[in-house]
Amino acid sequence: MSQQVALLQAIRAVIEAAPLFTPAIPRSGKPMSVRMTNCGPLGWVTDKERGYRYQATHPVTGKPWPAMPLMLLDLWEEVAGYPHPPEACLVNYYAGAAKMGLHQDRDEEDFAAPVLSVSLGDIGVFRVGGRSRRDPTQKFDLRSGDVFVLGDADRLAYHGIDRILPGSSDLLPEGGRFNLTLRRVTQPS
Ligand code: MD3
Ligand code: FE
């Protein structure tokens, strides 16, 4: 619990430097219901014109992303089983009816590296299937403090968040859910 509070403080500092923005779906320009920001050398962004990509600067402020908190670099070293540091930490914030449709994470060059996920705040109802969109899916709850390493067969599994369960955690006074995903983006040289 104290580690969740410490991590939350670090994420609040990231958001002060790099405010949450509303991403837009490529081509349609439809806003996503999840708000986002990033820390680390690269960040995941999306907009109508240029689509899904990683870039070194915040799409609204134009500033470089803030550094990745040491706690997160340590956690990666402890659990990722991958010999190079993460380059991006995507911070997703779900409030109210926010959700994320079923998708694969394929915007990275390096699929050999796992994706590390940390959840903070209200429960997220997570859905995961297989490598084909048609594969059957299973649902389970992601709770505050849950840490998952998605590697190997899981790395390209379809997944999404159906909804959050408002009021299911006391960690965030404002309610809602943060999810952090740490990723390696480029092939290490
Ligand atoms: C399974 N985020 O940012 S994290 C995303 O809770 C994303 O915000 C969700 O999907 C969230 O892309 C889920 C857990 C997760 C992350 C990456 C995965 C599960 C995964 C990659 C492959 C399979
Ligand atoms: Fe994903």
Side-chain angles (χ1 to χ4, degrees):
M1 188 74 202
S2 66
Q3 289 196 79
Q4 293 179 49
V5 171
L7 181 55
L8 178 61
Q9 282 183 338
I11 295 308
R12 298 243 193 252
V14 165
I15 292 170
E16 292 227 342
L20 292 166
F21 62 91
T22 299
I25 290 169
R27 292 178 291 277
S28 75
K30 189 174 175 269
M32 294 176 65
S33 55
V34 178
R35 289 191 296 146
M36 298 180 176
T37 189
N38 293 269
C39 53
L42 291 172
W44 189 86
V45 301
T46 172
D47 55 33
K48 182 175 170 88
E49 295 79 17
R50 294 175 64 201
Y52 303 145
R53 64 196 187 273
Y54 283 91
Q55 66 180 40
T57 56
H58 190 287
V60 178
T61 68
K63 293 201 283 192
W65 303 107
M68 212 174 300
L70 269 181
M71 291 185 70
L72 290 177
L73 293 171
D74 287 346
L75 179 65
W76 175 275
E77 217 173 282
E78 220 176 294
V79 304
Y82 186 79
H84 303 278
E87 295 173 293
C89 173
L90 173 62
V91 177
N92 293 329
Y93 179 64
Y94 298 77
K99 58 191 163 61
M100 187 178 286
L102 209 65
H103 67 278
Q104 286 176 302
D105 291 11
R106 332 195 39 124
D107 299 320
E108 301 77 26
E109 285 173 22
D110 184 5
F111 295 146
V115 174
L116 195 164
S117 153
V118 185
S119 296
L120 292 174
D122 285 337
I123 287 171
V125 180
F126 181 68
R127 186 179 287 278
V128 60
R131 284 171 176 240
S132 162
R133 189 177 277 283
R134 301 186 313 271
D135 290 339
T137 60
Q138 284 186 296
K139 254 186 354 176
F140 61 92
D141 289 350
L142 294 181
R143 288 192 168 70
S144 196
D146 284 352
V147 175
F148 286 92
V149 178
L150 295 314
D152 304 313
D154 300 331
R155 177 67 181 74
L156 290 172
Y158 275 87
H159 61 278
I161 296 287
D162 287 356
R163 62 197 176 96
I164 66 163
L165 304 182
S168 54
S169 161
D170 290 332
L171 186 70
L172 307 185
E174 72 273 40
R177 168 175 186 264
F178 284 111
N179 179 265
L180 317 177
T181 47
L182 277 65
R183 299 137 188 279
R184 181 80 202 180
V185 178
T186 67
Q187 298 273 11
S189 50

